[in-house]
Amino acid sequence: MTNKNIWQGKWKQLKGNVKQQWGKLTDDDLDKIEGREEEIVGLIQERYGIAEEQAKAEYHDWMSKQ
């Protein structure tokens, strides 16, 4: 199994947690980004109207708890 396959499997499990944390992200959003960090951060930034640095910090904080 490649790292990509492992991450994709984990991403499917984490999508529910992502929606709990950032409720403004839709199922369609999460399906499209497939766990890619840059895209998640961009969507958080866009949907919540926050700076990229803050979105990255929130994402990394959330990931460290997963």
Side-chain angles (χ1 to χ4, degrees):
M1 229 180 193
T2 66
N3 284 340
K4 182 178 179 180
N5 290 340
I6 293 169
W7 176 246
Q8 286 175 340
K10 287 185 179 185
W11 177 245
K12 290 177 182 181
Q13 296 170 4
L14 289 174
K15 283 190 329 186
N17 294 346
V18 171
K19 284 185 64 175
Q20 287 178 354
Q21 179 71 27
W22 296 286
K24 293 182 181 180
L25 302 182
T26 67
D27 286 327
D28 286 342
D29 292 334
L30 300 178
D31 289 340
K32 289 177 190 173
I33 60 179
E34 297 178 336
R36 291 186 296 269
E37 178 179 342
E38 304 83 32
E39 293 189 37
I40 295 171
V41 169
L43 280 173
I44 295 168
Q45 180 183 0
E46 177 185 316
R47 298 286 163 78
Y48 289 89
I50 60 177
E52 181 180 2
E53 296 78 25
Q54 183 180 350
K56 280 183 182 179
E58 286 184 17
Y59 174 75
H60 288 285
D61 181 55
W62 176 81
M63 281 295 291
S64 70
K65 296 174 184 173
Q66 298 308 306

